Amino acid sequence: MSVGGRKWNALGRGDTLIDHFTASNELRPRAHSVIPGGAHTYAKGDDQYPVLAPGFITRGSGCHVWDIDGNAFIEYGMGLRAVSLGHAYPKVVSAAVRQIRRGANFTRPSDLEVACAEDLLKVVPGADMVKFTKDGSSATTAAVRLARAYTGRDMIALCADHPFFSYDDWAICATPMMAGIPDEARRRTLMFRYNDLAGAEALFSAHPGQIAAFILEAAKDVDPAPGYLAGLRDLCHRHGALLIIDEMITGFRWPHCSAQRYYGVEADLSTFGKSLGNGFAVSALAGKREIMRLGGFDHDRERVFLLSSTHGAETHALAAAIAVMEIYRDEPVVETLQRQGERLQAGVASVVADYGLSDHFKVVGRSSNLVFSCCDRDGVPSQVFRTLFMQELIRRGVIAPSFVVSYSHSNDDIDQTVDAVDGALRIYRRALDEGPELYLVGRPVQPVFRKRGDAAVA
């Protein structure tokens, strides 16, 4: 049928469409008037979601969330991959609440700082010391400062295939969002490609004695080539540089809770966060003693102001992290993430095949960390078709900027999601044949990293 010149699908089996976001739409202008971009995290902003989307989530339980209009959704992405166990996971909440009742922040360190550090060091291969902070950007920036101090060099090489390491100048200067960043930051930041040792060697040749460290994720959408990570570490050491591995995402999602342990490599410094707190704000920098100790005072070198923040070791966040690590030790969390991801991937692949969309819609990545790619009729990645797909999932009760599962996604949740994907891809198929403008409501989503704003998305 057609409404206002726009075609809508007839309901298929299992489709119950959600189009009611009145309360969200009323709150959006207020949010944008007091918060730049309307949200405190760019990836959660209105420009990242269709017009037909919940603007504000009010509560969550397991893998289910409810918006301020009372709509219920199965959620994927799970707090930007931070909530690997599930929202309001009882054991984690109980541990945090118990500690909150005893106090959240003291004048001297808490004993939990020692206990949590010791637990994390059991996970990170080759690491001897830990510093906790609140977010991943702070941890990676501390790693960069430490690498520069340890090596006496200024340049940092970032993996161009892993787009976000920090909101600080040294990393954001590699994106189109350069406003407010000195040109000097860009001159000190180099780029290299994943799985390309020759390219890394070329950087060392072009900048002899100047590179302090290479930083990358251990893996993202593809696994490292055999020997790549160890080869990159050896290359760094041969040229007097350090290897920093960012495990914000792979930590506690990959087997053994660490991609370093899984792939058999030890970084000089590594960073953890996201799943470590199951939504509570805690991240960590871990590394070898001879490097990390520069942030202390038991040495005769110039001291590094490493990490020192009022809230860096809030006790309830550390209590949550200790509970999370205990759950990972005692329960098959990683195995479940992998199994449920595989179930979802197989179900979606079957639907894709049914609609003949293998050239237009793909699911990639490790089963515990799946993302999808949407392409137009020419097979070109398309923000328009990504928006349409997300819109149609939302209308069927699924929020999915990715297909990242949690420990709380049941078989029934996965199967309901596959049904929703079936309905969404039915519309996707029609849009390829007839044009997406007949089905998409409003503007498409936009990349986070873009040079200029767009008033139309507010």
Side-chain angles (χ1 to χ4, degrees):
M1 65 179 176
S2 176
V3 178
R6 178 173 286 109
K7 290 188 177 182
W8 290 100
N9 57 304
L11 294 184
R13 186 174 65 180
D15 279 353
T16 301
L17 301 187
I18 299 170
D19 290 326
H20 177 67
F21 302 109
T22 303
S24 279
N25 291 335
E26 290 175 351
L27 187 55
R28 277 193 180 97
R30 289 170 53 195
H32 282 274
S33 73
V34 295
I35 305 167
H40 293 287
T41 308
Y42 282 121
K44 298 181 182 182
D46 284 338
D47 60 339
Q48 301 302 294
Y49 286 85
V51 168
L52 285 184
F56 304 89
I57 303 299
T58 189
R59 66 185 179 96
S61 177
C63 68
H64 297 263
V65 297
W66 289 261
D67 71 1
I68 61 174
D69 285 285
N71 299 311
F73 301 91
I74 300 171
E75 187 186 58
Y76 291 86
M78 301 301 293
L80 309 182
R81 298 174 174 84
V83 185
S84 58
L85 297 176
H87 297 296
Y89 201 78
K91 290 181 181 178
V92 179
V93 171
S94 294
V97 169
R98 279 196 306 270
Q99 185 55 51
I100 285 176
R101 290 187 176 130
R102 301 177 64 181
N105 210 329
F106 310 119
T107 304
R108 294 302 312 279
S110 164
D111 56 331
L112 288 177
E113 297 182 35
V114 179
C116 194
E118 290 176 341
D119 281 355
L120 183 58
L121 288 174
K122 294 173 184 175
V123 173
V124 188
D128 306 302
M129 304 184 82
V130 174
K131 276 281 247 181
F132 291 112
T133 184
K134 302 309 290 181
D135 60 38
S137 291
S138 299
T140 53
T141 292
V144 165
R145 181 181 298 124
L146 198 54
R148 284 171 166 161
Y150 184 78
T151 62
R153 302 172 176 182
D154 289 340
M155 287 187 166
I156 300 293
L158 316 186
C159 183
D161 302 296
H162 302 160
F164 185 72
F165 291 101
S166 173
Y167 49 60
D168 285 300
D169 290 359
W170 64 271
I172 294 299
C173 71
T175 78
M177 298 177 72
M178 275 287 291
I181 299 176
D183 289 341
E184 183 62 26
R186 176 174 286 180
R187 288 193 290 269
R188 295 179 180 180
T189 296
L190 307 171
M191 307 295 288
F192 67 96
R193 303 310 300 261
Y194 190 66
N195 274 336
D196 181 5
L197 284 177
E201 179 75 74
L203 280 185
F204 280 117
S205 297
H207 306 278
Q210 299 178 71
I211 301 175
F214 273 57
I215 182 170
L216 75 166
E217 297 179 49
K220 193 171 181 283
D221 299 338
V222 298
D223 277 346
Y228 170 70
L229 292 176
L232 183 60
R233 179 202 57 204
D234 294 344
L235 182 63
C236 286
H237 290 180
R238 191 160 67 248
H239 289 276
L242 302 184
L243 178 65
I244 304 169
I245 292 183
D246 180 353
E247 289 221 49
M248 291 294 162
I249 292 174
T250 58
F252 298 94
R253 279 197 174 273
W254 261 237
H256 313 299
C257 298
S258 166
Q260 293 174 81
R261 193 174 296 279
Y262 179 63
Y263 296 123
V265 64
E266 294 182 2
D268 299 297
L269 298 169
S270 57
T271 56
F272 287 76
K274 293 190 181 289
S275 295
L276 176 60
N278 196 55
F280 285 91
V282 58
S283 62
L285 167 63
K288 297 185 181 302
R289 186 177 309 279
E290 65 268 24
I291 306 169
M292 293 287 291
R293 67 199 292 258
L294 296 184
F297 46 77
D298 59 340
H299 59 87
D300 57 4
R301 292 185 59 175
E302 187 173 355
R303 291 182 68 195
V304 176
F305 196 92
L306 188 53
L307 283 166
S308 181
S309 62
T310 300
H311 304 290
E314 284 177 321
T315 57
H316 59 279
L318 296 184
I322 290 171
V324 167
M325 288 186 277
E326 181 179 350
I327 292 166
Y328 271 83
R329 285 195 301 269
D330 296 344
E331 301 182 31
V333 179
V334 175
E335 295 85 350
T336 301
L337 297 177
Q338 179 172 323
R339 184 181 67 249
Q340 297 304 79
E342 289 172 350
R343 184 184 185 96
L344 176 61
Q345 189 171 23
V348 172
S350 177
V351 175
V352 168
D354 288 345
Y355 288 109
L357 292 171
S358 59
D359 292 332
H360 306 283
F361 186 88
K362 303 179 188 299
V363 177
V364 298
R366 189 166 192 85
S367 59
S368 61
N369 190 53
L370 295 172
V371 296
F372 54 81
S373 172
C374 300
C375 297
D376 62 18
R377 65 184 64 182
D378 297 319
V380 177
S382 168
Q383 296 284 55
V384 170
F385 277 92
R386 174 178 172 82
T387 312
L388 177 63
F389 178 68
M390 291 173 65
Q391 169 188 287
E392 294 303 312
L393 281 186
I394 288 168
R395 297 180 74 216
R396 291 161 177 80
V398 176
I399 298 178
S402 66
F403 280 148
V404 175
V405 298
S406 77
Y407 191 41
S408 294
H409 280 86
S410 68
N411 287 346
D412 186 55
D413 294 317
I414 300 296
D415 294 345
Q416 287 184 51
T417 301
V418 172
D419 285 345
V421 170
D422 186 288
L425 289 184
R426 183 171 66 247
I427 302 303
Y428 198 115
R429 177 72 268 174
R430 294 179 186 175
L432 284 172
D433 297 336
E434 303 170 19
E437 65 277 358
L438 294 177
Y439 298 95
L440 179 62
V441 176
R443 44 78 189 150
V445 299
Q446 298 289 329
V448 166
F449 297 113
R450 61 186 191 275
K451 191 173 183 65
R452 297 191 178 277
D454 182 355
V457 304

